[in-house]
Amino acid sequence: MRKRLAEQEESAIDLTPMLDVVFIMLIFFIVTAVFIREPGPEVIRTDTETDVRQPRIAVLIAVTADNEIWIDNREIETNAVRAIVERMRAENPNGSIVIQADEDSDSGVVVDVIDQARAAGAPSIAVATLND
Amino acid sequence: MKRRIAREGDETEVDLTPMLDVVFIMLIFFIVTATFIREKGLDVLRPDNNEEQTENNNVAIVIAVDGNNDIWVEGRIVDVRAVRANVERMRADNAESPVLIQADRTANTGIVIQVMDQARLAHAPAVSIATVE
């Protein structure tokens, strides 16, 4: 009888396999974690057919219908885009730059932003389209 | 006495529970902060002034978008959906000719992107955007 009690006391669940799984999940999430700073405002995107998925995004820039330029939840001036993009690209040098341009924004403003991003040395610049 | 010492020695396994707690909290933090941003987009090209002068043999197909969001091809106003057919027809003469979209600065980005999409549907090799005042 006593012996059986002792056996029951020792029947703690072995947590090691669960710990292994949890560690692997943890490492996966740490490795895939990319902290992209979203621009803030929601824009109305254009529906297109030849768009491609943008795999590595370093910087997101939004241009609203009122022609305001937003990066990282702040509204900025056109000539400040280059400096900010250069600074943000330092964290992810191979990432592309995606411009979320509203349908009703002026193309002149968007082209100015593209030129500023190009001057900052971005390898590829894309305009975001409707995600379907 | 002897028995107690023996049992304690058996039980000296490391208690993993606190570490498991910490690891779980880190796991939850990384799951919550993980943002899988999926963006689709069109790559945009800007015309290079230097290249334009060297590639004179390939005359660019020019599509203009004016401030009223009208699309002009060869002096005519065309619909967005007709851009593809027009570009295909003009590419039949010279398949290598690039497409240049001349957008007025006040033209809507949506229209310009749609024109770009149509030109790409017509398999134009290079579609670039220029703005005019």
Side-chain angles (χ1 to χ4, degrees), chain B residues 2-13:
Chain B
K2 226 176 193 177
R3 203 172 167 195
R4 251 179 93 193
I5 292 168
R7 266 182 85 182
E8 259 176 27
D10 271 350
E11 279 172 25
T12 52
E13 284 176 22

Side-chain angles (χ1 to χ4, degrees), chain B residues 44-70:
Chain B
V44 281
L45 294 175
R46 295 273 291 126
D48 233 330
N49 289 335
N50 307 331
E51 271 179 42
E52 247 176 344
Q53 282 158 1
T54 53
E55 288 182 39
N56 268 339
N57 44 348
N58 289 329
V59 183
I61 299 168
V62 178
I63 306 168
V65 183
D66 68 12
N68 302 323
N69 296 321
D70 289 326

Side-chain angles (χ1 to χ4, degrees), chain B residues 20-39:
Chain B
L20 200 59
D21 292 349
V22 172
V23 167
F24 254 119
I25 286 174
M26 282 168 70
L27 182 67
I28 290 165
F29 168 77
F30 279 103
I31 289 176
V32 169
T33 56
T35 43
F36 297 101
I37 293 186
R38 290 201 179 151
E39 283 284 0

Side-chain angles (χ1 to χ4, degrees), chain B residues 2 34 38 74 82 95 97 117 126:
Chain B
K2 226 176 193 177
R38 290 201 179 151
E74 292 181 322
S97 48
D117 186 43

Side-chain angles (χ1 to χ4, degrees), chain A residues 19-35:
Chain A
L19 199 60
D20 292 349
V21 171
V22 168
F23 254 119
I24 286 173
M25 282 168 70
L26 182 67
I27 290 164
F28 168 77
F29 278 104
I30 289 176
V31 168
T32 58
V34 270
F35 299 98

Side-chain angles (χ1 to χ4, degrees), chain A residues 46-66:
Chain A
T46 316
D47 192 10
T48 56
E49 290 172 49
T50 59
D51 48 4
V52 286
R53 173 141 287 147
Q54 301 296 318
R56 291 180 67 92
I57 302 170
V59 188
L60 284 171
I61 308 170
V63 180
T64 66
D66 304 324

Side-chain angles (χ1 to χ4, degrees), chain A residues 18-19 22 45 48-50 52 54 100 103 105-108 110-112 115 125-129 131-132, chain B residues 7 19-20 23 27 30-31 38-44 46 104-110 113 117 120 131:
Chain A
M18 186 173 80
L19 199 60
V22 168
R45 291 136 186 271
T48 56
E49 290 172 49
T50 59
V52 286
Q54 301 296 318
Q100 299 174 333
E103 267 190 346
S105 62
D106 284 356
S107 59
V110 176
V111 168
D112 285 347
D115 284 346
I125 301 159
V127 177
T129 55
N131 225 335
D132 40 23
Chain B
R7 266 182 85 182
M19 185 172 81
L20 200 59
V23 167
L27 182 67
F30 279 103
I31 289 176
R38 290 201 179 151
E39 283 284 0
K40 290 178 91 180
L42 291 177
D43 286 323
V44 281
R46 295 273 291 126
D104 189 279
R105 285 192 64 86
T106 56
N108 282 358
T109 311
I113 292 174
D117 186 43
R120 282 165 57 107
T131 49

